[in-house]
Amino acid sequence: MTTTDSPPAPAAPVRRRRSSGDTERGFSRTFRWIATGSGALILATLAAVALFLIVRAWPAMTASSAELADAVPRYPDDTSFLAYVGPLVFGTLLAAVLALLMATPVAMGIALFISHYAPRRLAQVLGYLVDLLAAIPSVVYGLWGIAVLAPAVGPVWLWLNEYLGWFPLFAGGASPTARVLATVSVVLAVMILPIITAVSREVFLQTPKLHEEAALALGATRWEMVRTAVLPFGQSGVISAAMLGLGRALGETMAVLMILSPGFLYSFNILQAAQQQTIAAYIALDFPEASGLAVNALIATGLALFVITLAVNMAARAIVARRKEFSGAN
Amino acid sequence: MVGALALSLAACGSDPGADEPNGEGSETAMDLSGDLNGGGASSQESAMEAWRAGFQGQYPDVTVNYDPVGSGGGREQFGSGAFSFAGSDAALDEDEMATAEEICGAGGVIEYPGYISPVAVAFNLEGIDTLNMSPETIANIFAGEITTWDDEAIATDNPDADLPSTDITVVHRSDDSGTTENFQEYLNTVVPDVWTYEPEGIWPIEGQESAPQTSGVVSAAQAGEGTITYADASQIADLGTVAVGVGDEFVEYSPEAAAAVVEGSPRVEGTGEHVFAYDLQRDIEGTYPIVLVSYHLACATYEDAATADLVKGFYTYILSDEGQQAAADSAGSAPLPTSLTEQFLPSVEAITAG
Amino acid sequence: MAQRIDVTDVNIYYGDFRAVEGVSMTVDPKSVTAFIGPSGCGKSTFLRTLNRMHEVIPGAYVEGKVELEGVDLYGDDVDPVAVRRNIGMVFQRPNPFPTMSIKDNVLAGVKLNNRKISKSDADDLVESSLRGANLWNEVKDRLDRPGSGLSGGQQQRLCIARAIAVKPQVVLMDEPCSALDPISTLAIEDLIQELKKDYTIVIVTHNMQQAARVSDRTAFFNIAGTGKPGRLIEMNDTATIFSSPAEKATEDYVSGRFG
Amino acid sequence: MSADTSTMDSTERTRALLTTAEPRRRRVDRAMTVLIWGAFALAMVPLVSLLWTVLFNGAGRISLEFLSYSMRGIFGGDPSGGIYHAVTGTLIITGWAALVSVPIGILVAIYLVEYGRGALARSVTFFVDVMTGIPSIVAGLFAVSLFTIFFGPGARFGFMGAVALSVLMIPVVVRSCEEMLKLVPNELREASYALGVPKWLTIVRVVLRTSVAGLTTGVLLAVARVIGETAPLLVAVGVTDSINFDAFDGRMMTLPVFIYRQYAQGLATCREGQEGCVADIALQNAWGAALTLIAIVMILNIAGRLVNRWFAPKLR
């Protein structure tokens, strides 16, 4: 064995690419992969949920209407699957949109009140109260709806029906028990009010002082300042907040289930019993006793709800994106 | 944060009676422990609570769970083996029986009516506690043919009552329920020419008020003047009730009168050895014909010895006088007549492992 | 148009903290008055009391008298909204409304007062205001683009155009050039010289050369130490302040010429 | 003399200018102020009524016994027993859900804010929005199906519920944390890089540290969102009346499910003169549990605020 004590061969000069990818070494690179992996995991989870929905819904969507009518309770005879889901989609949208129409202006009012009108101490307490209300479980809203709200609004609905019955929403006979969509919409509105308020309030508070002062310095009254500086700045945030609220209203199960007298019609009579039903409540109502194809049909309605939510989100994004150029963010 | 809270609470919380010495159960020969999971009809839930409480009181190491997932869910999960026992408002049909027999193996399925409860026809009219109604009248009211309380059909049967001209508001169950199915079965059997709908768990008529669960229909009925509904008799609170016409007389509901219906009805022929299904007779004099009959399901043999012992012990307890009395007290159900329990007990006692 | 401002013995507070103490001065019409002084000496705070912007901050209030042409701005019957409409303000950082186009930015103040302005009147006003702010030639082709797309100097001139579009009596400028590059600064300074013909102008600046270049009169503010209120040390013709100030503090400050 | 009059004139003119009532604008401003106060008052009516109803109906049921015993062996109108099993179940299941969702949620938010470019980031943002719209019952069904694959059809344990809740919770965590991380000024990151701190350490020590208050709020909102869920837990966890601390074995009770079950149970049967039997005990239990649930959420909120106060860097 001959050992030559030669110096180690000079290492070939390493040429590093001076790209951004190389500035992350060691754990930084690992960290990037962990974060990216989490992002991918979200997609995988959602794909799994969607896949699950589609696989379980598929038998119902492809079955003949005769088979469905046989297996699924409440399935109208000789109708397509769409005719079966249609009234449910209609009822879901009607309840949620009514709730949104009631809640959004009020929520914006409260948000402005907290961010720009109320004395600072009071505003803090109110902000806290609103956060707390966002956390009240829907079962409790349901209990409250039955025990307190329905008896309270019953006479109001009767009055509306009697004197404003010509208006399509108030037509039909008013229910004596007030277990109708109007009551449900009010409960949903109360329920989503804290969410919309909480998000809008945060956005309004973020309005740059600069813009508020610019408006005031031009001789704007407080409301004019809100109109010129705060509302335009918060517009996209309020839309997001409303969509968040709409999402919760669309998917709300327990409160609707406990309050509404369901029906399966395309009906705008929100004071009349047994006219509409929402998808989530329908699933919860019939799922316990469902078996076989009926389960598939229920999950197919769940898929419909999923698609509605998807569409709503896409619409909201489109609206926000169109206004992006003029948005307050820079 | 959550964990810390849980820990601090863990220090002071306990199951009631968990550390009390075992009193009543000491005389029994078997020493049972473990979990037993079942589920099904929510109509039985109150009774099940009493049974579970009583059984767990005898065997403190046992936990019996009953998921009130509904009859269909109970039958399905019993058939898939998820539930060791189940409650169902309807007897198994042929397909379900076949599936269940596959799971249960050679011994077959045990099925008997374990819970019998009168279904009251209840209404909310100020100042009126009880009304007589013939089956035709009841059917016509619920079908929406009779629409006011001072209708002639009601008035003739109640000459003394001061009936208002209020509109009748029918409230039915919005969920799929055994109560609905049993109520419709009654109407369809007794007055088939008026009630032409096929009896099923979902109410067939659209456009009427409805609410989920017994408590839901009761509170809906309480909320409006002039409402009428059908509900488990133990839950109707302060609503007025209908005495139902049977033959020439009108019968108020009572658990005994309800149990008499099953007692007087013939067992369905051609089923398995341990299957006690009944073809209910709705016109026996002196009985209250609107009953909810809910079945108990079990296997005659279980693979697992512990499960076999638990099911056997639990069902034996249910059929004992003590068990029947506990259910009657807490759920207002009808104690099973001895003539019936004597028939069921041998099947239950024959449960084995293997 | 332009009017004089008389300030008598003004104290300015943030809550319990007295930020400025005992200021009295007179601002002549159609002149440029500069406020100089070290950071935190209260010159910006004082400026904001001249159009009642100070009281926008919660807890802030003012004692003393500020008169515009003999009318006390803090009088009972005076509407702060009307005060701000008549005394315009330009801020340190350009703040065009990001959600509005250039044109709408110019019209923002006018629309508050008179919503039914005709389209031709509006166009004329936009043009004259932007011309008045030396911005017209640069933006006339993109009046419908967002104001936030302009460069910093252009944005600041847009803000000036917005301020003069409502035809105020006085224009207050709070360090209008501090966020701008030298070329934009020069453009604004030229603009101030032109605006002087029509408006009374008060400008706060850190830049003493700027004060020397643009102003007719200069007021020097100073504080004795942190936590102490700011005071008006000396006010005089700009030339006098920079050549032979009466006070030692003023001389020390101006002789340290920087910027 | 003439100069004097002109001074007088200009004073009057100025006074006129500064006191112009401009009645329309002032009326609009007044009206809007009233309207906004009104909106607030209007909203307070149902919300206060709700809180009052829960407090009024629930407070009477709250006792040490109610909070420290389970419902094991309690049935009918028996007014003993309590919600201890449901409280622990809620805390354990929500705790596991948070344990799963919070790290994933924050990591996704970090990905979106610090790394996210291109198609993956865009689709993640979009689908997170979509996920916020998953109906809760669908999440429950999904969890059941998922675990059925591994454990067979009878599987019911707390962690299944936690997974269902995580599906609902992750998007909320991501959305709110993303907003909070975006608020961290870029200058801070650059300052950190300029000091030679590696990116991951910058994120952990600078970005997360700066936004910890916001992150806590976001997480608490997400917890509040799921702690009251009923439908998915009913499907995935089942019900029990006994205490169970093991999230991986056996059913668990949770407060929302308990509330719904008690409500659905309705009136108990009490014989005339039966002692120790309260007919509407189930409803009382439901209100008591509702009050407890709200109290828990409140405690979490306060705890979150304290966390903020301790850890948040003093920015102002």
Side-chain angles (χ1 to χ4, degrees):
Chain A
M1 232 183 185
T2 53
T3 48
T4 49
D5 214 359
S6 64
V14 180
R15 298 184 58 189
R16 290 192 180 281
R17 263 178 44 209
R18 296 181 185 273
S19 71
S20 64
D22 208 44
T23 57
E24 286 175 12
R25 288 181 225 179
F27 193 70
S28 279
R29 189 174 294 179
T30 320
F31 194 77
R32 167 191 275 273
W33 284 118
I34 294 173
T36 314
S38 305
L41 182 70
I42 291 280
L43 293 186
T45 311
L46 195 80
V49 173
L51 192 72
F52 150 77
L53 278 172
I54 292 169
V55 167
R56 296 289 302 273
W58 192 249
M61 292 192 290
T62 50
S64 72
S65 50
E67 273 180 285
L68 283 167
D70 192 39
V72 183
R74 302 185 221 260
Y75 193 93
D77 289 331
D78 300 323
T79 46
S80 68
F81 186 75
L82 283 179
Y84 156 73
V85 180
L88 289 171
V89 171
F90 173 81
T92 308
L93 287 175
L94 184 61
V97 167
L98 283 176
L100 196 67
L101 288 182
M102 281 186 270
T104 311
V106 178
M108 284 174 67
I110 310 173
L112 281 176
F113 180 77
I114 295 175
S115 66
H116 287 88
Y117 279 77
R120 202 155 17 143
R121 279 282 166 73
L122 183 61
Q124 266 175 0
V125 175
L126 291 178
Y128 179 60
L129 194 67
V130 168
D131 282 353
L132 189 65
L133 286 166
I136 292 182
S138 53
V139 186
V140 178
Y141 279 101
L143 280 178
W144 174 77
I146 292 174
V148 179
L149 185 70
V153 293
V156 180
W157 295 164
L158 285 175
W159 186 88
L160 282 177
N161 178 244
E162 190 165 341
Y163 295 101
L164 299 174
W166 47 267
F167 188 64
L169 279 181
F170 303 144
S175 152
T177 60
R179 292 169 166 262
V180 291
L181 200 76
T183 312
V184 168
S185 300
V186 172
V187 172
L188 290 180
V190 174
M191 220 162 136
I192 61 178
L193 198 62
I195 304 174
I196 304 181
T197 305
V199 179
S200 310
R201 178 197 65 199
E202 287 308 312
V203 179
F204 290 155
L205 283 173
Q206 300 290 334
T207 314
K209 269 264 142 10
L210 278 176
H211 298 149
E212 293 180 19
E213 294 196 335
L216 287 174
L218 285 174
T221 59
R222 183 155 57 171
W223 164 244
E224 286 162 350
M225 181 270 283
V226 167
R227 220 187 55 213
T228 33
V230 180
L231 293 186
F233 176 82
Q235 190 189 37
S236 72
V238 171
I239 292 174
S240 303
M243 290 303 127
L244 219 61
L246 186 63
R248 183 155 182 200
L250 285 172
E252 176 45 37
T253 311
M254 283 314 189
V256 182
L257 177 68
M258 288 160 82
I259 297 168
L260 187 62
S261 259
F264 298 86
L265 306 171
Y266 292 103
S267 163
F268 280 104
N269 302 354
I270 57 170
L271 300 182
Q272 198 177 351
Q275 302 294 302
Q276 305 91 354
Q277 170 70 307
T278 74
I279 292 178
Y282 175 67
I283 297 176
L285 197 59
D286 279 8
F287 194 78
E289 295 285 341
S291 60
L293 198 57
V295 174
N296 300 125
L298 286 176
I299 292 182
T301 61
L303 186 64
L305 180 52
F306 192 68
V307 171
I308 295 175
T309 326
L310 202 111
V312 164
N313 266 307
M314 283 166 92
R317 289 205 149 244
I319 295 171
V320 173
R322 211 180 44 193
R323 299 279 311 173
K324 199 165 210 161
E325 197 173 89
F326 286 87
S327 86
N330 40 14
Chain B
M1 185 161 41
V2 176
L5 212 53
L7 271 181
S8 65
L9 280 171
C12 58
S14 65
D15 291 325
D19 41 20
E20 285 165 24
N22 177 353
E24 296 170 62
S26 52
E27 57 195 279
T28 34
M30 286 188 293
D31 195 19
L32 296 176
S33 65
D35 283 10
L36 180 61
N37 292 322
S42 52
S43 55
Q44 293 193 31
E45 198 187 357
S46 300
M48 268 297 169
E49 281 192 352
W51 290 325
R52 283 160 53 223
F55 188 59
Q56 286 172 169
Q58 286 185 5
Y59 305 99
D61 295 334
V62 173
T63 298
V64 182
N65 294 311
Y66 183 82
D67 283 358
V69 292
S71 297
R75 293 196 295 269
E76 191 171 327
Q77 297 197 46
F78 179 71
S80 73
F83 289 154
S84 304
F85 71 98
S88 166
D89 290 339
L92 296 178
D93 64 23
E94 278 175 34
D95 291 350
E96 287 166 339
M97 187 56 86
T99 322
E101 274 170 348
E102 242 169 67
I103 282 283
C104 286
V109 177
I110 299 175
E111 180 179 60
Y112 67 87
Y115 176 84
I116 301 169
S117 182
V119 174
V121 177
F123 57 86
N124 185 14
L125 275 183
E126 212 180 320
I128 301 181
D129 292 333
T130 181
L131 285 174
N132 294 332
M133 284 189 196
S134 67
E136 292 81 13
T137 311
I138 297 176
N140 274 319
I141 288 175
F142 278 93
E145 301 293 329
I146 297 177
T147 55
T148 54
W149 282 103
D150 55 359
D151 192 279
E152 194 131 333
I154 307 175
T156 33
D157 285 338
N158 301 282
D160 302 334
D162 181 18
L163 292 165
S165 61
T166 319
D167 283 347
I168 297 179
T169 306
V170 173
V171 180
H172 62 84
R173 287 283 288 268
S174 60
D175 48 342
D176 190 338
S177 119
T179 314
T180 305
E181 190 168 0
N182 277 284
F183 182 59
Q184 285 199 67
E185 238 165 50
Y186 161 73
L187 293 175
N188 188 247
T189 317
V190 180
V191 279
D193 48 332
V194 182
W195 198 263
T196 51
Y197 305 98
E198 178 79 15
E200 55 175 9
I202 286 179
W203 192 252
I205 302 168
E206 288 190 0
Q208 296 171 330
E209 303 247 349
S210 60
Q213 309 281 2
T214 299
S215 52
V217 288
V218 170
S219 71
Q222 285 170 328
E225 175 77 7
T227 50
I228 188 165
T229 189
Y230 55 92
D232 194 307
S234 64
Q235 301 267 315
I236 52 167
D238 54 354
L239 293 173
T241 53
V242 169
V244 176
V246 184
D248 295 332
E249 51 175 353
F250 293 95
V251 185
E252 285 275 2
Y253 78 86
S254 74
E256 294 72 24
V261 173
V262 180
E263 202 175 9
S265 299
R267 184 178 163 189
V268 176
E269 304 277 328
T271 54
E273 182 193 352
H274 305 303
V275 175
F276 299 88
Y278 288 86
D279 188 10
L280 296 181
Q281 299 298 301
R282 310 282 189 173
D283 48 6
I284 309 166
E285 292 274 325
T287 62
Y288 183 80
I290 316 177
V291 289
L292 169 68
V293 175
S294 195
Y295 288 87
H296 287 167
L297 300 174
C299 289
T301 51
Y302 287 91
E303 276 181 20
D304 178 33
T307 311
D309 286 345
L310 281 170
V311 175
K312 185 158 110 184
F314 186 50
Y315 274 19
T316 310
Y317 170 77
I318 289 176
L319 291 173
S320 71
D321 290 347
E322 195 189 336
Q324 287 299 309
Q325 194 53 48
D329 285 352
S330 81
S333 65
L336 294 176
T338 330
S339 61
L340 291 179
T341 52
E342 275 172 358
Q343 290 179 51
F344 308 154
L345 265 174
S347 296
V348 168
E349 277 163 359
I351 294 176
T352 53
Chain C
M1 285 280 279
Q3 288 166 310
R4 62 188 271 136
I5 303 174
D6 295 291
V7 179
T8 326
D9 202 19
V10 160
N11 296 313
I12 308 171
Y13 297 84
Y14 290 103
D16 294 336
F17 173 64
R18 193 198 309 204
V20 176
E21 173 176 73
V23 175
S24 301
M25 67 163 68
T26 298
V27 175
D28 296 326
K30 295 195 182 183
S31 70
V32 177
T33 305
F35 295 172
I36 59 171
S39 295
C41 67
K43 54 192 187 300
S44 285
T45 302
F46 178 69
L47 186 76
R48 290 167 64 98
T49 61
L50 298 184
N51 69 342
R52 298 191 63 170
M53 279 299 285
H54 176 65
E55 68 199 45
V56 169
I57 298 158
Y61 66 100
V62 176
E63 285 174 359
K65 229 180 192 180
V66 181
E67 285 168 323
L68 182 69
E69 207 65 20
V71 182
D72 186 1
L73 296 184
Y74 289 85
D76 289 337
D77 56 346
V78 170
D79 184 356
V81 170
V83 170
R84 292 179 203 136
R85 188 195 169 304
N86 284 292
I87 305 180
M89 189 163 196
V90 175
F91 294 84
Q92 185 169 0
R93 282 177 56 191
N95 55 358
F97 297 119
T99 48
M100 294 182 191
S101 65
I102 292 173
K103 184 177 161 187
D104 288 342
N105 259 294
V106 176
L107 292 175
V110 184
K111 279 189 174 162
L112 295 177
N113 297 301
N114 177 13
R115 210 170 300 170
K116 288 192 202 83
I117 187 166
S118 76
K119 192 173 178 315
S120 59
D121 284 356
D123 288 343
D124 291 349
L125 183 65
V126 169
E127 181 171 349
S128 63
S129 303
L130 285 172
R131 278 191 195 283
N134 284 343
L135 192 61
W136 175 250
N137 289 328
E138 291 160 65
V139 301
K140 64 182 175 201
D141 300 327
R142 42 173 174 161
L143 292 175
D144 291 324
R145 305 291 303 152
S148 49
L150 299 173
S151 77
Q154 288 173 324
Q155 286 191 19
Q156 194 61 299
R157 277 179 282 153
L158 176 59
C159 291
I160 293 172
R162 184 176 65 187
I164 61 178
V166 295
K167 307 209 162 47
Q169 317 289 316
V170 179
V171 177
L172 308 177
M173 297 187 175
D174 188 357
E175 300 184 39
C177 303
S178 66
L180 304 182
D181 61 89
I183 294 174
S184 303
T185 303
L186 208 63
I188 302 270
E189 285 179 9
D190 289 346
L191 177 58
I192 291 172
Q193 289 303 329
E194 284 177 36
L195 291 174
K196 187 171 103 170
K197 292 174 199 145
D198 298 315
Y199 304 99
T200 305
I201 292 173
V202 182
I203 176 170
V204 166
T205 178
H206 266 128
N207 182 332
M208 275 170 292
Q209 289 173 342
Q210 186 174 62
R213 279 196 299 266
V214 301
S215 70
D216 304 311
R217 286 172 68 78
T218 297
F220 172 63
F221 286 77
N222 203 357
I223 43 172
T226 25
K228 300 263 173 54
R231 294 165 157 281
L232 174 64
I233 304 298
E234 182 175 6
M235 184 169 180
N236 213 327
D237 288 343
T238 300
T240 316
I241 289 280
F242 282 93
S243 56
S244 50
E247 300 284 331
K248 175 82 168 60
T250 316
E251 189 175 354
D252 288 349
Y253 186 74
V254 297
S255 64
R257 301 188 176 212
F258 57 88
Chain D
M1 197 63 207
S2 73
D4 231 33
T5 7
S6 85
T7 316
M8 287 301 289
D9 277 357
S10 79
T11 305
E12 283 315 307
R13 266 208 316 276
T14 310
R15 184 178 298 282
L17 272 177
L18 296 184
T19 55
T20 334
E22 287 203 67
R24 190 187 58 80
R25 287 178 61 198
R26 203 179 279 195
R27 266 204 308 274
V28 170
D29 189 48
R30 267 311 143 62
M32 287 316 293
T33 308
V34 170
L35 216 63
I36 282 169
W37 274 86
F40 161 70
L42 178 73
M44 280 299 122
V45 172
L47 296 178
V48 167
S49 153
L50 183 72
L51 282 181
W52 170 250
T53 310
V54 175
L55 199 65
F56 181 79
N57 289 305
R61 190 72 183 100
I62 300 290
S63 66
L64 198 62
E65 189 196 350
F66 187 63
L67 292 177
S68 59
Y69 281 97
S70 74
M71 290 296 283
R72 187 181 162 93
I74 309 294
F75 62 93
D78 189 346
S80 55
I83 55 167
Y84 180 72
H85 60 311
V87 173
T88 54
T90 288
L91 292 179
I92 292 168
I93 290 178
T94 314
W96 274 107
L99 216 59
V100 173
S101 326
V102 172
I104 295 180
I106 292 184
L107 279 171
V108 172
I110 289 175
Y111 167 72
L112 288 176
V113 176
E114 306 289 334
Y115 297 101
R117 305 280 176 276
L120 180 64
R122 268 203 309 278
S123 45
V124 169
T125 313
F126 177 70
F127 284 113
V128 163
D129 278 357
V130 173
M131 263 179 101
T132 56
I134 294 180
S136 57
I137 187 145
V138 169
L141 297 178
F142 167 71
V144 173
S145 306
L146 183 72
F147 280 87
T148 302
I149 299 173
F150 301 111
F151 296 97
R156 295 280 183 280
F157 49 86
F159 190 69
M160 284 172 70
V163 168
L165 293 187
S166 296
V167 171
L168 299 171
M169 198 172 163
I170 290 174
V172 186
V173 177
V174 174
R175 289 300 283 159
S176 42
C177 292
E178 189 190 348
E179 295 303 320
M180 299 307 163
L181 293 182
K182 272 187 195 159
L183 291 179
V184 177
N186 242 339
E187 288 86 340
L188 279 182
R189 296 186 182 92
E190 281 163 5
S192 173
Y193 296 148
L195 289 173
V197 180
K199 182 159 185 171
W200 76 273
L201 213 58
T202 304
I203 291 170
V204 173
R205 298 285 275 279
V206 177
V207 178
L208 292 185
R209 182 90 172 77
T210 314
S211 52
V212 68
L215 296 182
T216 325
T217 312
V219 168
L220 283 176
L221 267 179
V223 167
R225 162 82 177 77
V226 299
I227 202 169
E229 278 298 341
T230 313
L233 295 178
L234 201 55
V235 189
V237 189
V239 295
T240 180
D241 57 11
S242 304
I243 299 168
N244 178 9
F245 289 122
D246 188 351
F248 293 91
D249 183 34
R251 289 131 207 279
M252 270 188 180
M253 193 49 127
T254 53
L255 281 169
V257 176
F258 179 83
I259 296 169
Y260 183 66
R261 293 306 318 160
Q262 291 288 317
Y263 159 74
Q265 199 168 314
L267 296 176
T269 316
C270 289
R271 277 168 297 148
E272 281 301 301
Q274 185 183 351
E275 283 198 18
C277 180
V278 183
D280 65 342
I281 188 66
L283 214 53
Q284 287 188 29
N285 284 338
W287 286 114
L291 181 59
T292 313
L293 184 52
I294 293 176
I296 290 177
V297 173
M298 205 152 99
I299 291 169
L300 286 178
N301 256 315
I302 292 170
R305 267 152 208 268
L306 290 180
V307 168
N308 276 357
R309 201 163 293 172
W310 289 330
F311 290 114
K314 306 286 175 279
L315 286 173
R316 303 171 195 197

